[in-house]
Amino acid sequence: MKILVPVKRVVDYNVKVRVKPDQSGVDLANVKMSMNPFCEIAVEEAIRMKEKGLAEEIVAVSIGPVQAQETIRTALAMGADRGIHVTADTLVEPLAVAKILKAIVDEEQPGLVILGKQAIDDDTNATGQMLAALLGWPQAAFASKVEKDGDGLKVTREIDGGLQTLHIALPAIVTTDLRLNEPRYASLPNIMKAKRKPIDAKTPADYGVDIAPRLEVLKVAEPPKRQAGVKVESVADLVYKLKNEAGVL
Ligand code: AMP
């Protein structure tokens, strides 16, 4: 089986993002970018499946500017076998990403696509679900455990207040939750080896996909600043404030 893993280049999770003064978006100048953490988990899961003999090849795909190749190299250094880079210098919305991925799936015929449950930049949490719909494939989103189960997979999903276990037939779409695994660090020899692994260069036009945005961002704003706390002198004072100032009693 071949596994396709879409990996997105996003602002590193340690960076405190700054909103642009004109509120049109987030300032990306001189900001550290990395692979989306949920995509790292997806790459790790694909590698573990390959190590268990459940897959023969892992293909990492990224849609984005030329620097997205670094994100693919990271996946290759972790253990993916080859990459596909689809160049896009403008923001690509989830529907366009899903359409490009659908065209790649039609070409590559993987048995499984593992995506992150969401990209931590736009938090849309939509691409995997849209891809499943476009392909007409079963999907198991927010996976916290993936096991082989006969001809398909048994997937444990994190849902509100508990866990749900599903059996899905292959080919299928899985999206990763935080607790699925802990991604490995690439070793230096593997980083060197990754430089020789192939990355195909493509464009959205190669797949016949128009990436013009369908959504208009009206405004991006910072969350309101938290008010400083106050120290109360006594329990009576606390109860008074909860009643009369916070209005929660
Ligand atoms: P989103 O639906 O934008 O929250 O992203 C969910 C997942 O879709 C990510 O974790 C990636 O696996 C995949 N994805 C989204 N955008 C891209 C992209 N530009 N290139 C590659 N994969 C992507």
Side-chain angles (χ1 to χ4, degrees):
M1 177 169 79
K2 188 191 287 185
I3 305 180
L4 196 75
V5 188
V7 289
K8 188 175 185 189
R9 177 176 178 268
V10 297
V11 173
D12 187 271
Y13 72 96
N14 285 306
V15 170
K16 178 156 179 7
V17 290
R18 287 183 316 266
V19 172
K20 287 187 195 163
D22 66 0
Q23 296 196 314
S24 62
V26 162
D27 194 357
L28 295 181
N30 302 319
V31 167
K32 181 173 189 274
M33 307 288 283
S34 301
M35 187 191 297
N36 179 42
F38 292 106
C39 300
E40 283 184 352
I41 296 172
V43 176
E44 176 65 36
E45 197 61 21
I47 297 168
R48 289 187 190 188
M49 289 180 81
K50 188 177 168 191
E51 286 169 347
K52 282 187 204 144
L54 302 175
E56 291 86 47
E57 192 183 27
I58 301 167
V59 183
V61 184
S62 195
I63 300 150
V66 64
Q67 298 91 326
Q69 284 178 16
E70 292 163 19
T71 312
I72 296 175
R73 287 275 171 228
T74 306
L76 298 178
M78 286 172 73
D81 298 288
R82 63 187 169 88
I84 301 173
H85 174 224
V86 183
T87 309
D89 289 317
T90 53
L91 195 106
V92 189
E93 291 172 358
L95 182 58
V97 172
K99 285 180 184 169
I100 293 171
L101 293 176
K102 154 118 182 25
I104 295 176
V105 167
D106 289 345
E107 229 174 74
E108 295 280 344
Q109 300 284 316
L112 179 65
V113 185
I114 313 181
L115 305 92
K117 76 166 177 181
Q118 75 193 63
I120 61 163
D121 52 359
D122 52 21
D123 270 349
T124 48
N125 181 344
T127 309
Q129 295 87 329
M130 285 175 168
L131 180 61
L134 291 175
L135 288 165
W137 284 11
Q139 59 172 311
F142 317 143
S144 60
K145 196 167 183 191
V146 178
E147 298 155 285
K148 181 93 180 104
D149 186 23
D151 286 344
L153 296 176
K154 188 163 103 180
V155 181
T156 307
R157 306 182 55 233
E158 299 205 351
I159 55 171
D160 261 0
L163 297 173
Q164 183 189 48
T165 309
L166 294 179
H167 171 91
I168 50 171
L170 295 171
I173 307 289
V174 167
T175 75
T176 62
D177 215 326
L178 205 59
R179 276 163 287 274
L180 180 58
N181 61 47
E182 219 173 281
R184 69 195 64 192
Y185 288 106
S187 66
L188 193 58
N190 286 346
I191 294 172
M192 301 311 287
K193 255 194 244 159
K195 294 192 177 162
R196 290 192 302 273
K197 293 183 179 175
I199 300 181
D200 269 1
K202 298 283 190 182
T203 66
D206 292 337
Y207 299 111
V209 177
D210 173 12
I211 59 166
R214 305 282 202 279
L215 306 173
E216 185 190 353
V217 175
L218 299 179
K219 189 170 106 175
V220 176
E222 297 218 7
K225 293 249 177 313
R226 281 185 68 180
Q227 303 273 326
V230 287
K231 270 194 177 160
V232 292
E233 297 296 331
S234 64
V235 173
D237 197 13
L238 172 66
V239 172
Y240 176 85
K241 281 186 185 295
L242 289 176
K243 249 190 205 156
N244 300 299
E245 289 176 20
V248 293
L249 283 185

